[in-house]
Amino acid sequence: MPVTIKSNSEINKMRLAGKVVAKTFEHIRKNIRPAVTTEYLDKLADEFIKSQNALPSFKNYRGYPASICVSINQEVIHGIPSKRKLCDGDIVSIDLGAILNGYHGDAARTFIVGKTSPENEKLVAVTQQSFFEGIKFAKAGCHLFDISAAIQDFVEANGFSVVKDYVGHGIGTQMHEAPEIPNYRQNRRGIKLESGMTLAIEPMVNIGTDKIILQSDGWTVITADNSYAAHYENTILITDSEPEILTATDF
Ligand code: MF3
Ligand code: CO
């Protein structure tokens, strides 16, 4: 499938969908604290997305049973909400998507519950910053895999590893569109970026090995060495200058 270039009216719809995702994070954020179940966070997000006249895009996506993914500690991505309670010191990655008027927004954040170790704090900060290092190359005229290389270089310079088995993606009328966006160096620079492309850039970073294991629930991905992992994602718009972060949050 070719990479789609969004028209101005499509871009406006992407902005509105991205805004719903951002506002959902802002809405659930204060509830991310010890003793809260991940199921409760899912319910809050689900209800909020619907209150915005949008729909949670993850629900039933390839049979996924919830509206958000909640991945705690050594869980990398796609953790299923449950009766599990958050604990002080946990790091919890929340990934969520919304569809509004036929267009998708998709983003992830990793939150610290209460107080955690300096190493976990560094992991969360490096993961977020790796996204921003990557998008320094997210502009018309640059090449897609310049983003990938910048993410990997920053993460590895900080002593962590990037997950190779899952990638970012184009996004628009589908949650997953072309192109695939790996978070590590490729042997070519990839397609030339053009104004009007909308991309979900999503580094997944492990403290230890980059190897991951799929749990028997068919969804939850954990690190092979049980080291902790973090995830950070935004939907962005390529422009002739700085990218526009369509899912930007106020935190
Ligand atoms: N946000 C994820 C992605 O970018 C999708 C989650 S998978 C789902 O690929 F099944 F939960 F939707
Ligand atoms: Co995504």
Side-chain angles (χ1 to χ4, degrees):
M1 286 290 283
V3 180
T4 56
I5 306 293
K6 274 72 179 180
S7 67
N8 283 334
S9 78
E10 290 183 290
I11 288 167
N12 278 326
K13 290 179 190 167
M14 293 291 294
R15 286 190 177 111
L16 293 172
K19 192 75 197 159
V20 170
V21 170
K23 283 166 68 181
T24 306
F25 276 114
E26 289 157 8
H27 179 73
I28 67 175
R29 184 164 97 104
K30 54 190 170 300
N31 291 283
I32 300 170
R33 49 183 161 73
V36 166
T37 68
T38 58
E39 225 170 55
Y40 180 67
L41 297 175
D42 181 62
K43 179 174 183 281
L44 278 180
D46 180 87
E47 290 175 353
F48 183 80
I49 291 167
K50 289 172 182 163
S51 79
Q52 304 299 298
N53 300 315
L55 286 172
S57 49
F58 293 8
K59 189 95 183 219
N60 300 320
Y61 178 82
R62 299 189 180 176
Y64 186 72
S67 296
I68 66 175
C69 300
V70 187
S71 308
I72 302 172
N73 299 338
Q74 50 275 93
E75 296 170 354
V76 185
I77 48 168
H78 300 171
I80 301 173
S82 71
K83 306 232 177 287
R84 179 171 174 178
K85 292 180 165 126
L86 299 181
C87 295
D88 188 52
D90 283 348
I91 59 170
V92 53
S93 302
I94 296 186
D95 191 350
L96 66 90
I99 177 164
L100 179 65
N101 294 325
Y103 287 81
H104 286 261
D106 181 14
R109 297 287 184 272
T110 300
F111 300 90
I112 291 168
V113 182
K115 191 167 165 46
T116 195
S117 67
E119 191 182 45
N120 289 344
E121 283 180 3
K122 179 180 169 190
L123 173 67
V124 171
V126 165
T127 304
Q128 174 170 337
Q129 188 58 32
S130 73
F131 165 87
F132 287 99
E133 295 299 320
I135 67 164
K136 287 177 181 172
F137 298 92
K139 55 178 168 225
C142 285
H143 290 256
L144 183 68
F145 299 149
D146 298 349
I147 301 172
S148 311
I151 290 171
Q152 180 181 28
D153 287 352
F154 183 77
V155 168
E156 292 183 356
N158 281 283
F160 300 140
S161 66
V162 287
V163 171
K164 316 289 192 301
D165 300 279
Y166 292 86
V167 296
H169 48 95
I171 180 168
T173 57
Q174 306 293 319
M175 176 160 63
H176 294 137
E177 298 186 352
E180 291 193 350
I181 310 173
N183 295 301
Y184 62 102
R185 195 173 283 287
Q186 307 295 299
N187 57 20
R188 59 195 200 282
R189 286 182 74 199
I191 58 163
K192 212 173 189 189
L193 296 173
E194 291 175 42
S195 185
M197 290 179 176
T198 47
L199 307 173
I201 312 286
E202 51 177 317
M204 290 148 270
V205 177
N206 300 347
I207 287 179
T209 178
D210 62 353
K211 295 289 170 288
I212 50 93
I213 297 170
L214 180 63
Q215 295 285 72
S216 57
D217 62 17
W219 283 103
T220 313
V221 174
I222 64 167
T223 57
D225 62 1
N226 272 307
S227 67
Y228 282 17
H231 184 202
Y232 187 89
E233 174 180 23
N234 281 304
T235 299
I236 68 167
L237 168 70
I238 302 297
T239 77
D240 291 326
S241 56
E242 298 301 303
E244 187 175 324
I245 300 178
L246 303 178
T247 49
T249 45
D250 69 2
F251 57 87

